[in-house]
Amino acid sequence: MKKFYALSMGLLLGTAGAFAADLSLGDFEDQSLSSWGNWGGANTIVANPYSNTENSSSYVMKYVPAAEWNGISLSKSGVVNGDFISVNVDVYCEEDVTIQMILNGSASKGADYVASKSIPAGAWYHLCFDINALTLRDYGGLVFQNSVVSTIYFDNIRIVSGTPDLSKKMLMNFEEGLIDSWGSWQPTTPTIEANPAIGAVNGSAKSVKLVTTDEWGSLKKWYGSIFISAKPSKLSVKVYASVASKVKLQMDNPVVALETATIEKFLSVANASEWTVLEYDLSELSYWEYKQLAFQPEKNGTFYFDDITVYYSSGSSEVIEIKSQMQAEIFTCDSSISILNSEGASVEIYTMTGVKVAADTNIGSEYSVAVGKGTHVVVVNGVAQKVLVK
């Protein structure tokens, strides 16, 4: 029988203040791998073959994977335990590549945390993986995986300090210069461009540009996984437009046959040629397991988008209180999931394709349901956790 423990207050808050500064996990200037290993292939320290203004380090880690989705790995208990808001790494690849970051979980520590970013070949990129909204902090290691078999260089791996803010999550701000799977349903290609009007509303250097040729053009991203982790209050986006226009927010989960699996919200950019902050009210939502996000301007024109952010309805203090009090214990055995110590809670269980296989409210202190084998997402009082059912 495999046992999954819920988050306690100690795990949730970590060791607040344990680190007052960024934590370096490898700048490789001492020509040492510093305990970095791999999941196949070979990693070595070499002179920086692509030194430039983006990365002028003398030495970097060279990694040659043996297969797709190998990776470099660092075993470190509590790797992000403390006041940290992002995992940063500089990457250069000789082919276009998707870099997938994994924070290793375990049966006692919870599921892995996974995030990915795609970069073009032939340049150094500064990747920032946001962990601001992570409640679990007691991970057992860090991995960077690769989508292609090609030589990859890593440098300046660091955990960035800051005060975690559980009340919101930045979905995208484009400062890395990456389009990161944002596209369009129309025959147009969004591009990363300089901010057309840096100022008080938007001081970012970069944003994403969309030129529409039809009404209700689109800037969209298919996440493939749920990108809103708890009940939301609103979603905000900054928009700069060459023409006043309505902008539709659409979120959907096309693998779920539910009326609530698609929502549309409309707001307007009243003034052309200036940044406007649009805040879509999501407070009435009872369903938020969306896997696709899109913004659709009504008018033809040139549109810039930036700082796409989801805000959670509970706020950081209530999120902490709910999770610390939950104390749920989740067991899996014989194609079933059992939940203990969650009397009165609401439970929903989903397959990894988004199909809801069980849902109950006001459960007893011992709750069990047959769901079949495979990985499932168990949501107890709005807190989601992946479990493997055997």
Side-chain angles (χ1 to χ4, degrees):
M1 178 179 288
K2 184 173 287 187
K3 185 177 181 180
F4 294 83
Y5 293 94
L7 307 178
S8 67
M9 180 64 87
L11 290 180
L12 183 64
L13 296 179
T15 54
F19 300 101
D22 296 355
L23 176 64
S24 175
L25 298 179
D27 67 6
F28 310 113
E29 292 304 281
D30 62 358
Q31 302 183 53
S32 170
L33 282 172
S34 302
S35 302
W36 281 92
N38 62 69
W39 282 5
N43 48 340
T44 55
I45 304 302
V46 299
N48 185 351
Y50 300 108
S51 179
N52 56 23
T53 55
E54 292 297 323
N55 185 356
S56 59
S57 296
S58 298
Y59 295 95
V60 296
M61 182 197 298
K62 176 182 179 180
Y63 177 55
V64 182
E68 295 177 358
W69 303 114
N70 284 173
I72 61 170
S73 61
L74 176 70
S75 295
K76 182 177 177 63
S77 180
V79 63
V80 294
N81 196 1
D83 287 345
F84 298 116
I85 59 174
S86 69
V87 178
N88 292 13
V89 59
D90 296 349
V91 181
Y92 185 107
C93 188
E94 296 175 351
E95 296 183 29
D96 295 353
V97 65
T98 295
I99 298 296
Q100 181 166 273
M101 183 201 75
I102 301 176
L103 292 171
N104 293 134
S106 69
S108 62
K109 295 175 181 177
D112 292 347
Y113 175 75
V114 180
S116 63
K117 294 180 179 290
S118 298
I119 63 173
W124 280 105
Y125 286 91
H126 310 292
L127 304 187
C128 174
F129 294 94
D130 181 15
I131 60 170
N132 173 74
L134 281 186
T135 50
L136 178 65
R137 293 278 165 165
D138 193 19
Y139 291 97
L142 175 64
V143 179
F144 294 105
Q145 289 183 291
N146 51 282
S147 65
V148 298
V149 181
S150 180
T151 300
I152 308 170
Y153 298 89
F154 294 91
D155 197 18
N156 297 323
I157 304 170
R158 58 206 179 277
I159 315 297
V160 177
S161 65
T163 302
D165 182 357
L166 301 181
S167 68
K168 64 183 179 180
K169 179 181 180 181
M170 176 74 75
L171 298 178
M172 196 68 188
N173 66 5
F174 305 104
E175 288 301 278
E176 295 167 321
L178 301 176
I179 199 67
D180 198 30
S181 302
W182 286 89
S184 177
W185 289 316
Q186 286 74 33
T188 185
T189 302
T191 56
I192 303 299
E193 305 289 348
N195 183 343
I198 295 176
V201 177
N202 188 2
S204 298
K206 299 174 184 176
S207 56
V208 64
K209 178 181 177 181
L210 174 73
V211 179
T212 61
T213 55
D214 297 304
E215 292 185 348
W216 303 112
S218 61
L219 174 72
K220 61 91 177 177
K221 181 174 179 178
W222 169 251
Y223 284 84
S225 59
I226 297 168
F227 59 86
I228 299 178
S229 60
K231 182 174 176 58
S233 62
K234 64 182 179 180
L235 188 147
S236 72
V237 60
K238 296 175 182 177
V239 182
Y240 179 100
S242 63
V243 59
S245 174
K246 290 182 179 178
V247 178
K248 179 174 73 172
L249 165 70
Q250 178 172 319
M251 299 191 296
D252 57 62
N253 188 346
V255 301
V256 177
L258 296 175
E259 183 177 346
T260 54
T262 299
I263 68 158
E264 296 178 346
K265 299 276 187 176
F266 296 85
L267 290 175
S268 294
V269 174
N271 300 316
S273 302
E274 65 180 48
W275 282 103
T276 300
V277 180
L278 301 182
E279 296 186 333
Y280 297 89
D281 182 10
L282 305 180
S283 60
E284 82 287 359
L285 292 184
S286 58
Y287 175 96
W288 53 84
E289 289 86 7
Y290 303 108
K291 296 188 175 183
Q292 186 165 237
L293 172 63
F295 300 98
Q296 294 188 263
E298 179 185 22
K299 300 292 182 65
N300 289 340
T302 300
F303 296 83
Y304 294 82
F305 297 85
D306 202 9
D307 292 349
I308 304 167
T309 307
V310 60
Y311 293 80
Y312 297 111
S313 60
S314 296
S316 59
S317 60
E318 288 189 43
V319 170
I320 290 174
E321 181 180 3
I322 289 169
K323 292 180 180 178
S324 65
Q325 291 177 355
M326 188 178 90
Q327 298 296 319
E329 297 184 19
I330 302 175
F331 298 83
T332 67
C333 186
D334 297 331
S335 302
S336 296
I337 293 174
S338 298
I339 303 172
L340 305 182
N341 298 331
S342 291
E343 186 171 0
S346 297
V347 175
E348 295 176 330
I349 301 174
Y350 298 84
T351 67
M352 291 304 292
T353 59
V355 177
K356 185 184 291 187
V357 295
D360 281 291
T361 58
N362 195 27
I363 65 172
S365 59
E366 297 184 9
Y367 173 82
S368 184
V369 60
V371 294
K373 296 180 180 180
T375 302
H376 292 71
V377 176
V378 180
V379 183
V380 181
N381 281 345
V383 181
Q385 182 173 317
K386 282 196 298 186
V387 299
L388 178 61
V389 182
K390 297 183 178 180

